[in-house]
Each structure stands twice: as structure tokens, then as C-alpha cells.
């Protein structure tokens, strides 16, 4: 598929696909969209995004590194022969979406996108089209409610849980509070897939740059949204029952990196890892 796909702003999507969106409340997907240079964000999102950027200028490059990690991880998974992907917390479409990378390598690959922001699903349904051989589905649901996702008719019609599935949760788990049991939530998903399946995660951490990440969290967490940086040891817990593939748990830009001499000068603010279920 073409890598220069054009994703118009919400105003250009046909009216029949529009949904009611509360523009006064920021959402993590739209803040991330702003950092990536997207158009589908509102004043409330931009205020949070700019406050965070001013507190920690590396956050914009961090968002780009996170997106690049997604592409490399999905490409790796496709190279392992994985043909099914459950992408939870997908975010607003941009270049290098999961189905584009997966179906570019395996045209018959099947992908389900999950997000709890109506604007994300509006874009997905209106714009994201897979290959004729494959299948791409979208559901509006919350990562915190595994049962609603794992039993959703669109998920069951798209994915075969008797065959390996790649669970992709990139840049999302830091928004799950400790009291919401993020480890138990992820375990529900990983318990549902067969051995030979994979889990790909990226997660904000303060292990590398505590001052920068602390400043970023302080600025970001002033509104209704909040994120929780976690240590490498904590993030490794998500991979219980999985074997990490090389190079293990590393800064997102160091995970099976493409040639990029600027990596050595970047601020590391997130871990990335991929594991195979034993």
C-alpha cells in the first residue's frame, strides 16, 4: 500500500460518518495527533500538548519514536508469519498504520483496531481500507474492559483465537492507573491467545531521564488526563509467560532500529519490547 496516504481532517469526512465529540475535554489520542503534526485535535488537546512540550521538549520526538517502533514491531511480527493483529489504543490514523505495514508484507493479514475515542473510530471507518485478500475491522471500546473486546462480534468475525495473534498495545498502558490493575488487564488479553502469539508494548518510563519525564508528567497530568511512568521491571511484568525477542526491553528507538545516526542524541522516555507466548 502507498506510504504517502492522505488522511484529511475530520471536517472533510462525509457527514454520515461524523459523531458527537466533546471538544472541551482533552484526549490522549488527539494530544498524540498534535505532536505528530496531525490536524484532528482541539484547543483543549493543544493546551495539554503544548504545556507538556514546553516542560519537556523531547516529548515530540518521543511521539515520533513511539510511532516508528510500532512500524518496526509490526514488520517484525509479519516476518515471523503472524497474520492476525489486535491493535488496542490505535490512535488517530497517520502514515504507517498497523494494517498498512502488516498487509504490505502479508496481504491476507487481518487487523482489528480498538480505541475509545469516537474521532479515532470515525477516521478508521471512513478512511482505513485493507487489501482485498485481508480484513480490517474497527471497534469502539476501552482497553480496561477486555471482555467487551474479546467477545465483540467484529473481533470474533475477524480473528481466529485458535491461531497465533499479535496483541499490540503501543503508547497506551501508561494511561491505566495502578488501582485499575493494568497487569491484570493485559493478562486477560494474553490468556486469551494461543502459544506462539506475540505481545508488543511501548510504555513511558522515567528510568533513563527522570527529570525530563517527571516534568512532562507534571505538565500533562494537570487536567483530566494523567499518565503513570513505570520502571523497566514493572513493564516486564506485562510479559509474564512470554519470551522477549532481541534486543529485549530497550528504549523504543533502540528496538531493532533502522540506520539512524541521530539515535545517540535523543532523550529516552519510553521502553519498547516484543515477546512471544511460550
Amino acid at each position: 500500500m502507498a506510504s504517502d496516504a492522505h488522511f484529511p481532517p475530520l471536517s472533510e469526512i462525509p457527514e454520515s460518518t461524523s459523531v458527537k465529540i466533546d471538544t472541551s475535554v482533552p484526549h490522549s489520542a488527539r494530544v498524540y495527533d498534535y505532536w505528530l503534526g496531525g490536524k484532528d485535535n482541539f484547543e483543549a488537546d493543544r493546551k495539554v500538548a503544548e504545556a507538556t512540550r514546553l516542560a519537556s521538549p523531547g516529548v515530540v520526538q518521543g511521539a515520533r519514536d513511539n510511532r516508528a517502533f510500532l512500524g518496526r514491531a509490526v514488520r517484525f511480527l509479519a516476518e515471523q508469519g503472524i497474520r492476525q493483529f489486535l491493535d488496542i489504543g490505535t490512535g488517530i490514523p497517520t502514515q504507517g498504520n498497523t494494517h498498512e505495514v502488516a498487509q504490505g508484507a502479508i496481504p491476507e493479514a487481518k487487523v482489528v483496531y480498538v480505541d475509545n475515542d469516537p474521532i479515532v473510530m470515525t477516521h478508521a471507518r471512513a478512511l482505513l481500507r485493507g487489501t482485498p485478500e485481508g480484513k480490517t475491522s474497527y471497534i469502539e471500546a476501552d482497553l480496561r474492559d477486555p471482555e467487551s473486546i474479546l467477545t465483540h462480534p467484529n473481533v470474533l468475525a475477524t480473528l481466529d483465537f485458535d491461531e497465533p495473534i499479535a496483541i499490540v498495545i503501543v503508547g497506551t498502558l501508561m494511561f491505566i492507573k495502578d488501582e485499575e490493575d493494568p497487569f491484570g488487564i493485559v493478562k486477560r488479553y494474553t490468556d486469551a491467545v494461543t502459544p506462539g502469539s506475540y505481545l508488543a508494548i511501548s510504555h513511558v518510563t522515567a528510568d533513563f531521564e527522570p527529570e525530563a519525564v517527571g516534568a512532562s508528567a507534571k505538565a500533562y497530568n494537570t487536567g483530566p488526563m494523567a499518565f503513570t511512568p513505570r520502571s523497566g521491571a514493572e513493564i516486564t511484568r506485562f510479559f509474564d509467560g512470554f519470551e522477549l525477542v532481541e534486543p529485549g526491553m530497550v528504549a523504543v528507538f533502540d528496538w531493532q532500529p533502522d540506520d539512524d545516526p541521530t539515535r545517540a542524541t535523543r532523550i529516552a522516555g519510553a521502553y519498547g519490547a516484543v515477546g512471544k507466548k511460550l
Side-chain angles (χ1 to χ4, degrees), residues 28-211:
S28 58
R30 300 195 296 267
V31 172
Y32 188 65
D33 173 71
Y34 178 80
W35 286 333
L36 291 176
K39 301 176 181 178
D40 290 301
N41 46 76
F42 304 99
E43 183 178 359
D45 309 305
R46 292 189 285 272
K47 284 183 177 179
V48 171
E50 277 299 303
T52 307
R53 184 187 64 80
L54 290 172
S56 179
V59 71
V60 174
Q61 182 61 53
R64 294 170 181 166
D65 289 336
N66 190 66
R67 187 71 187 183
F69 164 77
L70 169 67
R72 296 195 306 276
V74 172
R75 184 175 64 206
F76 167 83
L77 293 167
E79 289 171 351
Q80 309 315 301
I82 296 297
R83 289 168 164 76
Q84 303 189 104
F85 296 80
L86 179 60
D87 185 337
I88 309 173
T90 180
I92 294 170
T94 184
Q95 294 182 7
N97 300 290
T98 296
H99 79 283
E100 293 179 301
V101 178
Q103 293 176 355
I106 302 176
E108 65 271 25
K110 299 177 180 180
V111 179
V112 176
Y113 288 112
V114 182
D115 206 285
N116 67 346
D117 183 9
I119 195 174
V120 172
M121 289 299 97
T122 296
H123 264 294
R125 295 187 181 101
L127 301 173
L128 299 184
R129 296 292 181 265
T131 58
E133 303 94 329
K135 186 172 183 179
T136 307
S137 296
Y138 333 89
I139 67 170
E140 187 176 336
D142 196 307
L143 168 69
R144 298 172 183 83
D145 187 2
E147 291 303 322
S148 71
I149 294 171
L150 295 170
T151 63
H152 194 285
N154 285 2
V155 174
L156 298 178
T158 304
L159 305 179
D160 180 357
F161 281 82
D162 291 328
E163 297 293 331
I165 294 172
I167 302 169
V168 179
I169 313 178
V170 169
T172 303
L173 286 168
M174 57 270 202
F175 299 110
I176 309 300
K177 301 174 184 177
D178 288 339
E179 55 266 32
E180 294 174 311
D181 189 17
F183 304 104
I185 290 171
V186 171
K187 189 174 188 304
R188 180 64 189 91
Y189 293 108
T190 58
D191 282 349
V193 297
T194 187
S197 295
Y198 285 82
L199 175 65
I201 285 176
S202 68
H203 196 300
V204 169
T205 185
D207 284 2
F208 303 107
E209 299 283 347
E211 291 187 7

Side-chain angles (χ1 to χ4, degrees), residues 251-275:
V252 285
F253 50 71
D254 282 332
W255 194 89
Q256 299 197 6
D258 298 322
D259 291 335
D260 185 349
T262 69
R263 285 190 298 117
T265 65
R266 294 182 193 169
I267 295 174
Y271 281 113
V274 175

